[in-house]
Amino acid sequence: MDQNVAIKSPPPDGPAATKGQALKALTENVDGGGSIFQQLAANPFFTAGFGLAGLGAAMRFGQQGLRRGSELLRHRLLVDIEITRHDKSYPWVLDWMTRQYQEQLTATAQGGKVGMMESLIRRFTPGLHHLQIRTDNVNLPGGGSQTHFSLVPGNGKHILRFQNTFLAVNRERIGKSFDSSGQPFETITLTTLYAYRHIFEEIFQQAHAFSQQNIEGKTVIYTRGQQSWIPLGDAKRKRPFESVVLEEGLADHIRGDVKEFLDARTWYLDRGIPYRRGYLLHGPPGTGKTSFVQALAGSLDFGIAMLSLSERGLTDDLLNKMLLNLPPRTFVLLEDADAAFNNRMQRQEDGYSGATVTFSGLLNALDGVASAEERVIFMTTNHIDRLDEALIRPGRVDMTVRLGEATQWQMEQMWERFYAHSDQDGSKKALFIERAKQYDLVDAVSTAALQGLFLYNKDDPDGAIDMLGQLLMAKSGSANEADGRAPKAG
């Protein structure tokens, strides 16, 4: 045999051999005399990995740059304002948004001759797309009621146009939290171009003007919520001051005293005197105590914050808090002032004093160290004999007024209000007064009883005269006395 025959080794097989050959070839092709950077740059594996990493980093930095650039652009070009539900302007802004939406719908429906640019703007203005239904019941003079439905902006994002300026509106509900009155916590955010930031002031002025129109000629009645004052239904139509007939000159005297106090704010502050005033109206039921406060508030454009001291859950601390956080231009009406004297227990160390207001808690709320200033309080009671002298001293009660039974002058004034058009010569009024004297009703019957008689005999003065004897029941509480008592000889 030929001993010189070369024996060829079998070619390596498998992926490991293939990778080894590739690496050996790469190392052989690299010029060992170049720099490290040149060697790395000539390595395709390294360049491929570096390129991907660089591309990722560039995209990351580019994304951050775009976000920060947009934030900077937004900061420089846009301005927004946030209104929370707890702010007084929140319902004003909601009503304003509703009016703007309705005006846009009306303008689009009516059409009319407008320019091409205005037509395009109206066509492409998005408007409101998330709406809620608001239902209102309106009482009619005849005793019925009507139900009105209106669309109000709901939660979500909206686009509004105001004075040729576009506004982005975002009404958002924050989580599932609720305030003390049970309302969900919400915010409204208005956004526009920075160059048009002045329109926010105009928006709030217009929204406030709309809110004042809704209560113009009306009296807002507040009642106690869980921790704050809330409106008691819709604002009520102002009661004419002349509709509550007190003794001659008494109503004007009280109103004059209140006006003098309201005009003397600087005088009180300059002399270091607490700027507050209290009135106590007492007398039998039906003599017009609460009605007079309502008429007085309407006459002076004030609201009324009503509290009943006999209301369970009204503690000393809560009473003081409520008086410290009164709505502006609002009288405080504390009914049943004698109820606090049924609970004279002292407050405990934790400040809780039981289910109702205590006597000491009422005194501290009226003129204690932490009591409110710049307020006018009216207290009413049917039993002044139950009140302690500590309550009715000056500083807590500055004027005590008794509203008693109807005098002859009050009867005459009430007759005029009901029957002046049908008794122009006054002959029936004279007969009515004479009959009232015969029954000893002068200074013996309440004005509420007289008004009930006149309401039953609307536009019928003769019927009122004939039924006058029935008021003896209101005087004596005995129907037999009203039927069997003969009138005095005239």
Side-chain angles (χ1 to χ4, degrees):
M1 293 181 64
D2 190 357
Q3 301 295 327
N4 297 324
V5 176
I7 300 175
K8 296 182 178 180
S9 60
D13 54 354
T18 303
K19 290 181 180 180
Q21 291 177 355
L23 289 173
K24 182 177 180 181
L26 287 173
T27 55
E28 291 176 351
N29 292 331
V30 175
D31 186 5
S35 65
I36 296 178
F37 178 77
Q38 291 176 344
Q39 295 180 18
L40 293 176
N43 192 321
F45 284 101
F46 179 80
T47 55
F50 183 78
L52 291 176
L55 181 62
M59 294 179 62
R60 176 64 177 175
F61 285 118
Q63 182 181 11
Q64 292 182 355
L66 286 175
R67 183 170 66 251
R68 294 188 179 183
S70 63
E71 292 177 355
L72 179 61
L73 188 65
R74 176 185 175 89
H75 178 72
R76 299 286 295 179
L77 298 182
L78 300 179
V79 60
D80 55 41
I81 187 170
E82 183 181 81
I83 310 103
T84 64
R85 176 180 285 277
H86 297 146
D87 192 83
K88 296 180 181 178
S89 64
Y90 188 86
W92 306 348
V93 175
L94 273 184
D95 290 339
W96 176 85
M97 291 172 58
T98 303
R99 286 175 178 258
Q100 289 295 119
Y101 171 68
Q102 293 174 348
E103 289 177 1
Q104 290 182 11
L105 290 181
T106 303
T108 304
Q110 291 179 351
K113 189 175 182 181
V114 295
M116 180 180 297
M117 183 61 67
E118 178 67 19
S119 177
L120 289 175
I121 291 176
R122 289 184 180 181
R123 180 180 296 273
F124 290 103
T125 300
L128 304 180
H129 294 278
H130 306 279
L131 303 174
Q132 290 180 347
I133 279 287
R134 183 172 64 187
T135 306
D136 296 317
N137 291 323
V138 179
N139 295 325
L140 301 178
S145 63
Q146 284 185 346
T147 302
H148 295 274
F149 301 96
S150 58
L151 298 176
V152 299
N155 294 313
K157 297 181 179 180
H158 316 276
I159 299 294
L160 286 178
R161 182 186 174 206
F162 176 69
Q163 296 183 357
N164 295 326
T165 302
F166 286 97
L167 291 163
V169 182
N170 183 20
R171 182 182 178 188
E172 184 180 8
R173 180 172 297 180
I174 307 300
K176 297 182 180 180
S177 58
F178 294 84
D179 58 17
S180 58
S181 61
Q183 297 291 334
F185 185 77
E186 296 180 348
T187 61
I188 295 177
T189 305
L190 306 178
T191 306
T192 189
L193 292 174
Y194 187 81
Y196 297 101
R197 62 190 180 278
H198 62 277
I199 68 168
F200 287 140
E201 184 176 352
E202 299 179 19
I203 288 174
F204 284 101
Q205 289 178 350
Q206 193 175 98
H208 180 259
F210 288 155
S211 70
Q212 293 301 111
Q213 290 178 6
N214 293 333
I215 63 174
E216 186 176 359
K218 298 179 181 179
T219 301
V220 181
I221 309 296
Y222 299 94
T223 187
R224 181 178 74 90
Q226 292 184 0
Q227 295 291 330
S228 61
W229 297 102
I230 58 174
L232 182 62
D234 297 330
K236 295 176 173 55
R237 182 179 177 183
K238 288 183 179 179
R239 181 164 185 169
F241 187 72
E242 298 78 12
S243 65
V244 181
V245 182
L246 304 184
E247 294 184 27
E248 186 175 3
L250 182 57
D252 291 329
H253 174 65
I254 298 176
R255 181 170 61 174
D257 187 84
V258 174
K259 286 184 176 180
E260 181 181 355
F261 169 76
L262 297 176
D263 295 335
R265 182 178 184 274
T266 303
W267 188 92
Y268 276 80
L269 298 181
D270 289 344
R271 288 157 178 79
I273 302 174
Y275 184 53
R276 49 181 177 248
R277 196 155 183 83
Y279 298 85
L280 175 63
L281 307 181
H282 67 96
T287 53
K289 296 181 288 295
T290 302
S291 299
F292 172 73
V293 176
Q294 182 179 352
L296 179 63
S299 173
L300 299 177
D301 290 326
F302 267 64
I304 301 175
M306 299 180 60
L307 272 178
S308 177
L309 296 179
S310 60
E311 180 180 356
R312 294 192 61 83
L314 181 63
T315 62
D316 296 345
D317 293 337
L318 182 56
L319 173 63
N320 201 32
K321 179 181 178 180
M322 300 293 287
L323 296 183
L324 283 170
N325 296 279
L326 283 174
R329 293 189 65 83
T330 302
F331 291 146
V332 181
L333 177 59
L334 297 179
E335 297 185 299
D336 304 324
D338 54 282
F341 294 84
N342 297 327
N343 186 15
R344 287 178 171 265
M345 60 181 292
Q346 297 297 321
R347 292 198 296 178
Q348 300 172 3
E349 294 181 358
D350 59 356
Y352 184 72
S353 59
T356 57
V357 176
T358 65
F359 175 58
S360 61
L362 175 60
L363 298 184
N364 290 330
L366 292 179
D367 69 343
V369 175
S371 60
E373 294 199 14
E374 299 191 17
R375 56 148 171 80
V376 179
I377 287 186
F378 286 88
M379 292 186 289
T380 66
T381 180
N382 298 332
H383 309 282
I384 191 174
D385 55 304
R386 299 180 184 176
L387 302 184
D388 196 287
E389 292 184 358
L391 175 65
I392 59 179
R393 70 163 176 80
R396 291 170 179 155
V397 173
D398 302 287
M399 179 181 290
T400 302
V401 181
R402 182 183 187 275
L403 303 186
E405 291 79 0
T407 64
Q408 178 177 336
W409 185 85
Q410 289 175 274
M411 290 182 174
E412 293 174 351
Q413 295 300 310
M414 294 183 67
W415 180 276
E416 291 289 339
R417 288 192 59 81
F418 280 89
Y419 303 120
H421 61 286
S422 57
D423 184 27
Q424 297 181 1
D425 60 354
S427 59
K428 296 181 180 180
K429 179 178 69 175
L431 179 59
F432 178 83
I433 297 299
E434 180 183 357
R435 189 71 58 85
K437 291 180 179 179
Q438 291 175 356
Y439 284 111
D440 280 338
L441 293 177
V442 179
D443 296 322
V445 68
S446 68
T447 53
L450 278 175
Q451 180 171 284
L453 174 67
F454 295 152
L455 288 175
Y456 188 81
N457 295 277
K458 293 185 294 290
D459 301 322
D460 184 12
D462 293 324
I465 295 173
D466 293 338
M467 294 182 61
L468 186 59
Q470 295 187 11
L471 293 184
L472 290 173
M473 290 186 297
K475 174 187 174 184
S476 62
S478 172
N480 295 330
E481 183 178 356
D483 296 334
R485 179 175 177 178
K488 296 181 179 179

